[in-house]
Amino acid sequence: MISLKDQCVMVTGSSRGIGAAIVKHLSQREVRVAVTYSSSKKEAQEIFQELDGSGHLLLELDVTKPESITKAFDQFMAHFGTLSALVNNAGITKDTLLLRMKNEDFDSVLKTNLYGSFYCSKEAAKYMIKNRKGNIINISSVVAQIGNPGQANYVASKAAIEGLTRSMANELSGRNIQVNAIAPGFIQTEMTKQLNPKQMEAITSKIPLKKLGTPQDVAETVAFLLSSEYITGQVIAVNGGLAM
Ligand SMILES: NC(=O)c1ccc[n+]([C@@H]2O[C@H](COP(=O)([O-])OP(=O)(O)OC[C@H]3O[C@@H](n4cnc5c(N)ncnc54)[C@H](O)[C@@H]3O)[C@@H](O)[C@H]2O)c1
């Protein structure tokens, strides 16, 4: 197994779900991580206490607020002295059918998922360019590829994240910075707990591997990308075969 020891990684929205699984898994691989939260400090503290090893950091970071991002990266650099990777994981949904979707709900999903990834990547790139090394991993979704009724805002944000990924990968490749996305399918988290049993059954029946993924499946893919020095501009699907 390739060692990830002493990489220093910022993970947005890591107080629960996939983000929490990423920080926990990376800490087991001897990575030093920043667990970040926007509103749920208590949950983040609990995750922080469950990490393996020492030297990690707990930070407030709201991805919709550039001043919060700058402050969090300043604190990160003061603590670790370097930034190996950023995982843009924070994301929200505000699902409803197109004609019922309020403009504010379209804006707020784009603001968190897309703008948040852009703001954080720009801040991270400042440090990575100086260091001539870095890794940015954006968390997209299978729905970016296949669409989903009731998720126009979310799907638009994730499809845009994949375009952002390819553009940043091209632009930053000359500075030895890799940029990739992971597109999970349906993963067992609070986000998918909102689905009723009928919706869950309908989804599972369409997945070739006939099961939902786990946050651990995504966390292991993050670790894989952190171990690679020759993958950039790609979207890695972790979806049980849902889209192929
Ligand atoms: N669960 C799934 O099935 C699934 C599938 C595909 C993609 N994803 C993506 O994976 C990522 C994580 O999803 P999850 O299922 O763990 O969701 P979740 O709702 O459990 O966690 C999302 C995290 O983002 C944080 N967050 C929300 N707004 C924020 C803000 N403004 N600033 C900082 N943090 C903020 C939340 O506090 C939370 O910690 C998201 O980008 C989501 O779109 C999830």
Side-chain angles (χ1 to χ4, degrees), residues 134-152:
N135 218 318
I136 297 175
I137 300 171
N138 297 319
I139 305 298
S140 178
S141 167
V142 65
V143 297
Q145 193 184 345
I146 61 177
N148 205 16
Q151 289 202 307

Side-chain angles (χ1 to χ4, degrees), residues 178-193:
Q178 294 157 263
V179 187
N180 292 290
I182 296 173
F186 290 91
I187 306 294
Q188 292 159 19
T189 64
E190 294 301 318
M191 207 175 251
T192 43
K193 268 192 199 152

Side-chain angles (χ1 to χ4, degrees), residues 12-19 37-40 61-64 88-92 112-113 139-142 154 158 184-192:
T12 67
S14 37
S15 59
R16 66 178 205 184
I18 293 173
Y37 62 91
S38 54
S39 54
S40 35
L61 196 179
D62 183 333
V63 301
T64 62
N88 283 312
N89 166 77
I92 60 167
T112 304
N113 300 4
I139 305 298
S140 178
S141 167
V142 65
Y154 183 75
K158 294 299 187 181
F186 290 91
I187 306 294
Q188 292 159 19
T189 64
E190 294 301 318
M191 207 175 251
T192 43

Side-chain angles (χ1 to χ4, degrees), residues 1-61:
M1 197 184 284
I2 294 173
S3 170
L4 304 180
K5 193 171 181 329
D6 294 334
Q7 287 202 34
C8 301
V9 180
M10 175 86 100
V11 184
T12 67
S14 37
S15 59
R16 66 178 205 184
I18 293 173
I22 294 171
V23 288
K24 280 199 226 168
H25 180 67
L26 293 183
S27 76
Q28 288 160 10
R29 299 282 306 268
E30 300 182 282
V31 172
R32 291 192 291 158
V33 293
V35 177
T36 66
Y37 62 91
S38 54
S39 54
S40 35
K41 184 172 183 182
K42 198 166 164 283
E43 278 180 294
Q45 276 169 332
E46 282 165 17
I47 300 299
F48 188 73
Q49 274 156 13
E50 289 172 27
L51 297 175
D52 276 32
S54 58
H56 307 293
L57 188 60
L58 181 65
L59 284 179
E60 185 171 5
L61 196 179

Side-chain angles (χ1 to χ4, degrees), residues 41 55 75 95 115 117 125 141 193 196 201 210 217 224 232:
K41 184 172 183 182
Q75 289 172 311
D95 298 353
Y115 285 47
S117 301
S141 167
K193 268 192 199 152
N196 64 41
E201 163 90 50
K210 298 286 173 241
D217 292 323
F224 162 68
T232 200

Side-chain angles (χ1 to χ4, degrees), residues 73-175:
F73 275 88
D74 284 350
Q75 289 172 311
F76 185 102
M77 291 307 289
H79 181 81
F80 293 118
T82 188
L83 172 66
S84 316
L86 163 70
V87 183
N88 283 312
N89 166 77
I92 60 167
T93 51
K94 288 202 174 162
D95 298 353
T96 191
L97 295 174
L98 190 65
L99 296 189
R100 289 192 197 143
M101 190 173 283
K102 293 191 187 112
N103 293 351
E104 310 81 274
D105 290 343
F106 190 88
D107 291 346
S108 70
V109 170
L110 269 281
K111 184 90 182 160
T112 304
N113 300 4
L114 176 62
Y115 285 47
S117 301
F118 165 69
Y119 295 152
C120 291
S121 299
K122 198 163 77 157
E123 193 67 27
K126 272 195 333 207
Y127 299 105
M128 292 174 179
I129 284 170
K130 270 193 208 138
N131 204 20
R132 297 192 78 80
K133 194 169 172 56
N135 218 318
I136 297 175
I137 300 171
N138 297 319
I139 305 298
S140 178
S141 167
V142 65
V143 297
Q145 193 184 345
I146 61 177
N148 205 16
Q151 289 202 307
N153 46 6
Y154 183 75
V155 173
S157 75
K158 294 299 187 181
I161 283 173
E162 295 189 6
L164 179 70
T165 300
R166 288 186 277 272
S167 197
M168 293 196 301
N170 259 304
E171 189 173 321
L172 298 173
S173 57
R175 305 301 180 103

